Each structure stands twice: as C-alpha cells, then as structure tokens.
C-alpha cells in the first residue's frame, strides 16, 4: 500500500507542469550547437533571445530548445573560447537549426579559466556544482607531469584527497565509495592507476567534467555524496588528426577523424606507462609495475532527429614481484546510445551500459601457489527524456534498470599447492528506478527545480543466507572485551532469482534560486540519496583489493539527507566570481568495521560490521579571477566529518563508547591557491599551493607480550592525526615558434613539491634496534617508532604535440 502511495506522488509530480501548455500558442526554436572546426557538440553554451530577454543552455549533446511567439528574433550564442555567434530568424513555424561556432584563434594578452559564462553560475539552478575546463586542467602542475582530472578537482572547495599523491577523493565528508563516477554514463568502480598516483581519465579523450556535490539532479542515484559526470570527446568529424604527449612516466596518443565527413566521427586514445622498462636497469630485482588504458568513441548522425553513439574504455594495472605475486586489475566500460528527437521539443536518450571491475592475484610462494579472481559486473538499461515546455519550463523524466553480479573471489590452487580451493558466494541484485524533475521560472527573480526519484533494490538468489541468534551477526564478548561472530542457528537457501530481500524509497530533490540582480543570487537546496552497494574496505583510500557487496538481510542501504545554502556573485565585466556555500549532511546505515576486522576471503562479512550513522557540515568559499594575464582561484573549506556506531545492546559499547568520532576523511581546514600567468603566446606559468589538516589516524596506545609476540594495543578510534600537509607546485609551458602549421608542440616543465615538504602519506609502527632498518612490529622487542612514508620534490618534463 505504501509503495502505491509513492507511485501516486510520482505521477502527480509528472502532471504538475502540464498546465503550462494552456498558454498562448507558440512555436519552438531548437537545434544543436557545434564547434565549427571539428564538429564537437558544445555542452553548456548559452542561447539568448534579445527581444524576449530569455534564454537557455545546451545539454550534454549540444541540444537546446525554446518556445517563443511567432516573430522576428536575434539569437546570440556564447561559449567560452569561441566568438559570439549572432543569427537573425523570422520564426513562423517550428525550426530545428544547427549552429556552428568559431573558436578564438589566438589569445595573446589573456586567458580564461571558467568552463562556462560567469553569470551562468549565478543564474542557473545548480548548487554545489563544480566544473573545470580540460584546457585549464592541462595548465596545472601535477606529479609526474600527468594531467589528472581527479587531482584537479581536489583543488576546488568541498573536495579533499584521500592522502598525499592519491587520486581518490572525498566530497563533503563522504567516503570514496560514496562518489558515483561516470564515463559516458558507464560506472567506473576504481578511479586510479599505480595505486592512486594517477586517475584513469585520459585528458586527451575528455571533453567535459562536472562534479555535483549537492543539489544532485533526480536522474542520478546510487551514491550518497557526489556524482562525477565525465564525457568523452566525439572526435573530429571534418578531418583526420592526431595528438599526444611523451613524459617521464607515460606516453599517450590520440587519433581522430570522420567516418563520413559532417555525418560521423571516431576517436581512439591510448596511454601506457613504462616503469617496467626502466626499473630493471636500476635494479635487477625491481618489481614490474605499469598501466595502460584505451578509450574509444564513435558517433553517427542518421538524420536531423536521430543520432547513434558508441563509447568504451579498457584499462589495466600490472604489478609483479618476482617469485612472490603477480597482480592485475582494472575497469572495462561500454556504452551504446541512441538520441531521438520527438517533434522539436521532446529530446530522448536511450542507453545500454556495461561496466566491469576486475581484480586478479597470482600468489607465487613456493608450495602455496594459488590464483584469486574477483569482479563486479553491472548491466544498465536507461531511457531519459527532456520535454521543453512553454515559458522556459523543462520537464526531465526517465527510468533505468541496473543489474549487478558480484564475484567476491574464486581461489584456485596451482598443481601441488597446499592451498584449498574456495569460492566465495556469488551475489546478484536488481536496482530499478524512475525519476522526474521540473524546472519552473515563477518570476524574473524566482526559479525552482524540484523532483522525485523512486528507487528500489532486490537482492536475488541463488544463495544461502545464514540465520543468527537474535538476528545479530556480531555480538560483544564482555569477558574478552571484543566483538565476536554471532551464533549461527540455521540457514536459508534461495533458488536462482528468488528475492532474498527488497528495499525501496523516495529520494526528493529541491533547489530554489532568488536573483537580487543579474550578478547576484541566493540559492537553497535539499536532496536525499540512497546507496545500495557498499565498498568493503577499512583503509582511507580505495585499493585494488577492495570488494563491493550488495545490501541484503544483514546490511541495510545507506541513506543521506543534505541541505545547503549559498550566495553567488560576479562582477559587472565577469572578471571576478565569488561564491559561499554552507551545507549539513546526515547519513544513516553506514557500515563500520569492528576492531581487528578480517575482510579478505571472508564469506560472511556481516560478522565484521556494525551499523552506524554520520554527519558532515561545513562552509565553502571560492574566489575566481576569470580574465586577464593572471587568472586562477582561491578555495577554502572549513568542515567536519564524524561517525558514530552504537552497540546492539546496553552492554555493547560499539565504537568509542557509541560517541561521535572523526571519520578518516575529516579535514578541518582545506586551502588552495591556484594561479596561471600568460607571459606571451609562447610562454605561460602556473602554480598551486595547498594546505590540509592532517587526516585522523589511530595510534597504538601501548603494547603487550602474548605467546612471545608483541601485540599493539589500541584505544579510541581516530583520536590522533597525521601531520598537516602543504606544498607548492610550479610549471612552465613553452610553445616553439610556428614553423609548420600542421604540427603544434609544447614543452611542459614542472616541479612537484618545490620546497621538498615531507608530507606523510602513510605512517606505520615498527621496532627499531641498534641502527637497523625498520622491520615487522611483532618481531622486535625494542622501542616502537613511527615510520613516515612521503613523496618529496619531483621534477618532470613532458612534450605535447598535435597535428
């Protein structure tokens, strides 16, 4: 009965905007905006009708639509880095246009760092949204000289790194697994290469990057904290060309060109590192470590109302230590899409997605050789619609069905090995969802965007589920003062596709904007999110070994409610932009790990988990200088992120006696200063300074000897902190004089951590004796000492080219 009421509310939301159709008879002006040089769609371009003082922006496929009274109009189109385009039109019937824009050829005196018009950030209905132009990212200094999408986002307010050098990130006090990362709508489960030093997103293949921290649109679901929407380039539909770069760590090459000129294009992009080639020259027993990835994108215009897209990604990391272990892991993603335009004002997108994350390990120890394979497969069918109604209103609605297959691990011994074969239980789940949202402009000053998402989740057999006494997989042992496995009283078998457990709920979304003027506005937003799958890891940064598992009988879905309030302003000429946002987020059903949790090769993870809740709150400031020779921004975040896990009984203390404690990603202060200076058309400088409060950590409070071994003793969780981190990175970009118009090249010289600050990214505790090296904590009986691992100053040189 309750589920039927939810559906009635959703139908009511869909019917609310239909009254707008009973207005004055109008006609529709719609079309596609493209780059005149390569035919790429322009995302977020501004379309303005001077006579009506109204406008809109293009969607992720470059499409726009406006309903107007019949008459003569002047259309003005603006997009960063392109010359404004004006077109006059006598609009008497529905019109579908294709408008190509001309890129600004040279910028000798100034550059711009925004990815959209500064006034757009003030006037749109988005909150907690960050967007960086790929060209801006390419100017920033980075470790190893590798342009990195995720490390660039870490320079913005509300986004912090998992640790020094890590490409993992936390958003507004949430964990890394609470970020939904999409590459052309395919889910990416592990975002890093080389254990976190580099992200999987190849900048040469990327066109648009958008991060939602709050006010998340209702079309997105499945994660609590953020959505990272990354779109790949379509490729040049006018001529063939190539680009790439050669660095100290890796090289990359992109080839693109038309399938049929003006009708379709294709893009191939690949990267590979070569540490495995050079490390053996330094040391004969050096480990083999490298990564490679490959991006593909193709599209074809069938006619003015139908277009097809195919895109894919494949990436792998390899790490081998001779006679010890051979690891391989990575993502596979494939997306097929069909855009169809019903009439001139109903835009649709039908999508089929396949995503996979794989981890494989071969252990080579003598007499105990085995292989371990694990993966998560995700199949997703989606249909999304945008209905552009009269009065500038827009109704977005759609549905999707997600199917998951979890393979936690298959262990296979080699011939003669003493290891026992083992298969961890495979798991399946189905996640259907339907959504709708409506953007409504009540007056010139007040606009609203409100929506609902109804999501459900079904854990499916075949699987055997253990039953525990008092339904408690974890109990507290008062004698040993520790959490232990619950008492198994039986088991229940579910046949193939039987529903083991089901969950469902509403996820309302709301944003309101009040414009004091064209350059100043206030916004308020609220969203509820539900997350049905969980990353099982007790480390701060995701690793290749981490396992995803679905909600079920002993693991409830995570939920989060977030409210935010912000002010947004821009100067008259758009040179400076300023925003301040505050937020409060409350989270429920968060998995917390008992002390000494054993998560690897564990078929019953529920015996290692407690259910907790969390809260995060903070203030984010952003000041941007968008134009001139000197551009950049200052970002500051003041925030807290806390967790709490109470016991299941009055005698169970839970974690830290059931009190709130800092989460692993609690960083009180986060300051970033980014600057880019254009000396001339050939020479530019850039730098960034970062400061972050050290992340929480649990230090041992003592030790005791048991059976001849030293055992560390820990008290309250996360009550210590690593040292604060700060560093300065600099880079210089030099473009040679033009001698060949078909070949364009540039040299990038950078220095990471220029004053060699020893920022610890890991602290371990070990024994130190008589000047010897650090060794295992349990094997020594002398003084316990903290060992800090860090990355110091690192210079780099890269050559980029395009022809």
């Amino acid at each position: 009965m309750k589920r039927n009421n939810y559906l009635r509310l959703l139908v009511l939301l869909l019917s609310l905007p239909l009254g707008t159709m009973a207005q004055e008879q109008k006609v529709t002006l719609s079309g596609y905006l493209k780059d005149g040089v390569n035919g790429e769609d322009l995302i977020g371009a501004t379309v303005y009708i001077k006579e009506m003082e109204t406008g809109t922006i293009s969607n992720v496929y470059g499409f726009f639509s406006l309903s107007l009274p019949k008459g003569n109009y002047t259309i003005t189109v603006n997009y960063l880095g392109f010359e404004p385009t004006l077109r006059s039109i006598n609009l008497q019937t529905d019109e579908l246009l294709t408008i190509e824009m001309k890129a600004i050829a040279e910028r000798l005196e100034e550059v711009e760092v925004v990815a959209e018009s500064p006034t757009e950030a003030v006037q749109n209905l988005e909150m907690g949204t960050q967007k960086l132009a790929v060209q801006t990212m390419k100017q920033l200094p980075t470790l190893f000289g590798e342009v990195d999408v995720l490390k660039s986002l870490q320079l913005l307010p509300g986004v912090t790194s998992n640790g020094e050098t890590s490409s993992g990130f936390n958003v507004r006090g949430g964990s890394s697994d609470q970020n939904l990362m999409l590459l052309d709508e395919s889910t990416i489960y592990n975002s890093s290469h080389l254990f976190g030093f580099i992200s999987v997103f190849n900048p040469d293949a990327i066109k648009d990057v958008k991060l939602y921290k709050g006010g998340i649109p209702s079309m997105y679901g499945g994660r609590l904290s953020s959505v990272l929407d990354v779109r790949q380039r379509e490729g040049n539909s006018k001529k063939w060309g190539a680009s790439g770069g050669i660095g100290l760590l890796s090289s990359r090459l992109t080839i693109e060109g038309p399938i049929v000129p003006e009708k379709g294009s294709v893009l191939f992009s690949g990267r590979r590192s070569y540490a495995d080639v050079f490390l053996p020259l330094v040391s004969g027993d050096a480990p083999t470590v490298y990564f490679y990835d490959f991006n593909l994108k193709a599209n074809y215009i069938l006619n003015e109302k139908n277009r097809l897209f195919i895109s894919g990604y494949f990436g792998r990391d390899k790490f081998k230590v001779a006679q010890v272990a051979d690891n391989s892991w990575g993502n596979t993603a494939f997306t097929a899409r069909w855009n169809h335009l019903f009439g001139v004002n109903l835009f649709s997108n039908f999508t089929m997605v396949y995503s996979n994350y794989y981890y494989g390990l071969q252990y080579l120890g003598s007499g105990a050789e085995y292989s371990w394979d694990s993966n998560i497969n995700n199949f997703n069918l989606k249909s999304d619609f945008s209905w552009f109604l009269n009065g500038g209103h827009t109704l977005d609605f759609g549905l999707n069905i997600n199917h998951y297959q979890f393979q936690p691990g298959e262990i296979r011994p080699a011939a003669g090995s003493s290891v026992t074969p083992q298969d961890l239980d495979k798991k399946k789940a189905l996640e259907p969802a339907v959504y709708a949202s409506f953007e409504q402009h009540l007056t010139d000053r007040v606009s609203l965007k409100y929506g609902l998402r109804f999501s459900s989740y079904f854990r499916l057999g075949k699987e055997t589920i253990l039953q525990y006494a008092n339904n408690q997989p974890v109990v507290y042992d008062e004698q040993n003062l520790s959490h232990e496995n619950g008492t198994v009283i039986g088991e229940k078998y579910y046949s193939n596709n039987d529903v083991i457990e089901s969950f469902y709920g509403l996820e309302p979304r709301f944003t309101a904007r009040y414009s004091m003027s064209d350059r100043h506005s206030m916004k308020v937003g609220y969203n509820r999110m539900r997350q049905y799958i969980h990353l099982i890891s007790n480390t701060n940064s995701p690793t290749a070994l981490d396992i995803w598992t679905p909600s079920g009988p002993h693991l409830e879905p995570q939920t989060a409610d977030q409210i935010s309030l912000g002010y947004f302003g821009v100067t008259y000429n758009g040179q400076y932009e300023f925003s301040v946002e505050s937020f409060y987020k409350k989270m429920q059903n968060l998995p917390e790990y008992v002390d000494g949790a054993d998560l690897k090769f564990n078929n019953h993870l529920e015996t290692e988990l407690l259910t907790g809740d969390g809260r995060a709150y903070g203030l984010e400031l952003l000041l941007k200088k968008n134009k001139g020779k000197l551009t950049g921004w200052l970002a500051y975040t003041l925030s807290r992120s806390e967790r709490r896990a109470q016991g299941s009984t009055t005698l169970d203390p839970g974690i830290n006696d059931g009190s709130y404690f800092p989460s692993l990603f609690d960083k009180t202060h986060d300051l970033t200063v980014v600057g880019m200076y254009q000396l001339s058309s050939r020479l530019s400088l850039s730098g960034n300074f970062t400061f972050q409060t050290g992340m929480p950590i649990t230090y041992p409070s003592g030790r005791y000897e048991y059976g001849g071994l030293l055992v560390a003793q820990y008290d309250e969780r996360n009550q210590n902190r690593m040292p604060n981190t700060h560093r300065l990175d600099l880079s210089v970009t030099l473009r040679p004089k033009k001698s060949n118009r078909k070949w364009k090249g540039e040299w990038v010289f950078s220095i990471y951590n220029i004053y060699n600050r020893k920022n610890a990214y890991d602290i371990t505790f070990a024994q130190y004796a008589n000047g010897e090296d650090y060794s295992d904590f349990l094997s020594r009986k002398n003084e316990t000492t903290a060992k800090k691992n860090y990355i110091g100053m690192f210079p780099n040189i890269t050559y980029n080219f395009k022809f």
Side-chain angles (χ1 to χ4, degrees), residues 23-251:
Q23 298 181 5
E24 171 189 357
Q25 181 64 40
K26 295 183 178 181
V27 292
T28 300
L29 173 67
S30 57
Y32 294 90
L33 305 178
K34 296 180 177 294
D35 185 331
V37 174
N38 56 31
E40 290 267 0
D41 299 328
L42 299 181
I43 301 174
T46 302
V47 181
Y48 183 73
I49 307 299
K50 177 181 178 182
E51 291 77 5
M52 300 297 296
E53 295 185 347
T54 188
T56 187
I57 60 173
S58 58
N59 67 9
V60 294
Y61 299 99
F63 179 79
F64 72 93
S65 182
L66 284 167
S67 293
L68 303 166
K70 295 179 181 180
N72 295 311
Y73 297 104
T74 301
I75 308 167
T76 304
V77 184
N78 285 284
Y79 190 70
L80 180 68
F82 288 76
E83 297 178 359
T85 300
L86 276 72
R87 180 174 294 190
S88 298
I89 185 172
N90 182 6
L91 190 63
Q92 299 299 321
T93 60
D94 293 340
E95 293 277 356
L96 181 63
L97 307 176
T98 296
I99 300 176
E100 293 191 345
M101 301 187 69
K102 183 179 179 182
I104 298 174
E106 290 289 346
R107 290 176 176 249
L108 300 180
E109 299 300 327
E110 63 179 37
V111 294
E112 296 184 359
V113 300
V114 293
E116 56 190 11
S117 167
T119 56
E120 179 61 28
V122 174
Q123 295 302 321
N124 66 28
L125 273 163
E126 295 179 341
M127 283 202 72
T129 302
Q130 301 289 357
K131 188 173 180 180
L132 270 181
V134 175
Q135 187 57 40
T136 300
M137 297 180 190
K138 291 182 176 181
Q139 297 180 60
L140 302 175
T142 56
L143 182 64
F144 303 126
E146 296 287 329
V147 177
D148 197 304
V149 170
L150 298 185
K151 285 188 172 66
S152 298
L153 291 174
Q154 292 171 12
L155 301 175
L156 296 170
V159 185
T160 59
S161 66
N162 290 151
E164 184 72 5
T165 75
S166 173
S167 62
F169 64 102
N170 306 109
V171 176
R172 290 186 170 178
S175 58
S176 293
D177 70 306
Q178 294 174 356
N179 304 317
L180 177 62
M181 289 177 286
L182 301 173
L183 179 63
D184 277 350
E185 303 185 54
S186 292
T187 302
I188 300 297
Y189 289 96
N190 189 308
S191 63
S192 64
H193 287 307
L194 297 182
F195 307 101
F197 284 96
I198 298 169
S199 78
V200 299
F201 301 110
N202 182 349
D204 289 351
I206 300 305
K207 176 172 66 173
D208 188 73
V209 178
K210 198 169 190 178
L211 178 69
Y212 298 93
K213 302 179 296 182
I216 298 174
S218 58
M219 70 180 297
Y220 299 109
R223 300 293 189 275
L224 295 193
S225 292
S226 76
V227 176
L228 177 62
D229 189 2
V230 180
R231 302 280 172 161
Q232 295 189 112
R233 295 173 50 223
E234 283 85 36
N236 196 318
S237 63
K238 297 178 182 292
K239 62 180 181 179
W240 285 93
S243 61
I246 302 172
L248 296 182
L249 180 68
S250 70
S251 291

Side-chain angles (χ1 to χ4, degrees), residues 5-16:
N5 290 336
Y6 286 153
L7 294 175
R8 289 192 187 102
L9 283 172
L10 192 60
V11 172
L12 177 62
L13 176 69
L14 283 166
S15 65
L16 284 176

Side-chain angles (χ1 to χ4, degrees), residues 505-579:
L506 279 177
E507 303 175 36
R509 318 286 171 87
F510 173 80
T511 306
R513 185 207 70 217
Y514 175 74
S515 299
M516 289 85 81
S517 69
D518 291 341
R519 301 189 304 277
H520 304 277
S521 68
M522 296 287 295
K523 301 179 188 180
V524 61
Y526 165 79
N527 61 250
R528 164 167 274 223
M529 308 294 290
R530 298 173 67 87
Q531 180 167 332
Y532 296 102
I533 66 174
H534 315 268
L535 183 65
I536 303 304
S537 169
N538 53 5
T539 62
N540 182 49
S541 182
T543 70
L545 287 167
D546 295 335
I547 304 253
W548 289 86
T549 193
S551 297
H554 306 298
L555 189 58
E556 295 280 323
Q558 303 174 51
T559 61
D561 295 273
Q562 180 179 189
I563 186 169
S564 51
L565 175 68
Y567 162 79
F568 301 82
V570 63
T571 57
Y572 178 78
N573 59 3
Q575 187 171 22
Y576 292 95
E577 178 184 346
F578 177 76
S579 66

Side-chain angles (χ1 to χ4, degrees), residues 306-457:
N306 292 279
R307 189 175 180 184
L308 300 177
F309 296 84
I310 293 177
S311 56
Y313 170 83
F314 181 83
R316 282 291 183 269
D317 278 76
K318 297 284 187 178
F319 180 72
K320 181 179 180 180
V321 179
Q323 308 305 317
V324 178
D326 188 354
N327 296 28
S328 174
W329 65 92
N331 299 277
T332 302
F334 173 81
T335 306
R337 286 173 288 176
W338 170 37
N339 288 172
H340 178 68
L341 186 60
F342 294 93
V344 289
N345 58 1
L346 180 57
F347 185 88
S348 65
N349 181 49
F350 301 94
T351 308
M352 179 183 69
V353 174
Y354 168 75
S355 298
N356 168 272
Y357 176 69
Y358 165 81
Y359 175 78
L361 165 67
Q362 286 185 308
Y363 181 69
L364 308 175
S366 178
E369 299 91 340
Y370 68 87
S371 63
W372 173 30
D373 293 289
S374 65
N375 63 72
I376 172 174
N377 286 297
N378 173 211
F379 301 89
N380 191 3
L381 295 176
K382 299 175 54 184
S383 57
D384 302 293
F385 300 87
S386 294
W387 191 2
F388 300 91
L389 304 171
N390 291 343
H393 308 308
T394 304
L395 173 65
D396 296 310
F397 59 97
L399 60 90
N400 69 279
I401 301 175
N402 241 326
H403 184 269
Y404 298 94
Q405 294 178 334
F406 301 86
Q407 172 54 66
E410 293 181 348
I411 300 174
R412 294 288 179 266
S417 173
S418 61
V419 174
T420 302
Q422 182 180 0
D423 285 352
L424 301 182
D425 289 344
K426 298 180 176 66
K427 302 175 177 66
K428 292 195 299 184
L430 192 68
E431 183 182 348
V434 59
Y435 74 91
S437 68
F438 185 53
E439 185 172 321
Q440 187 174 16
H441 304 284
L442 299 180
T443 69
D444 292 341
R445 293 183 178 272
V446 180
S447 294
L448 305 175
K449 186 172 185 177
Y450 45 90
L452 278 176
R453 181 181 181 88
F454 178 78
S455 62
S456 53
Y457 198 82

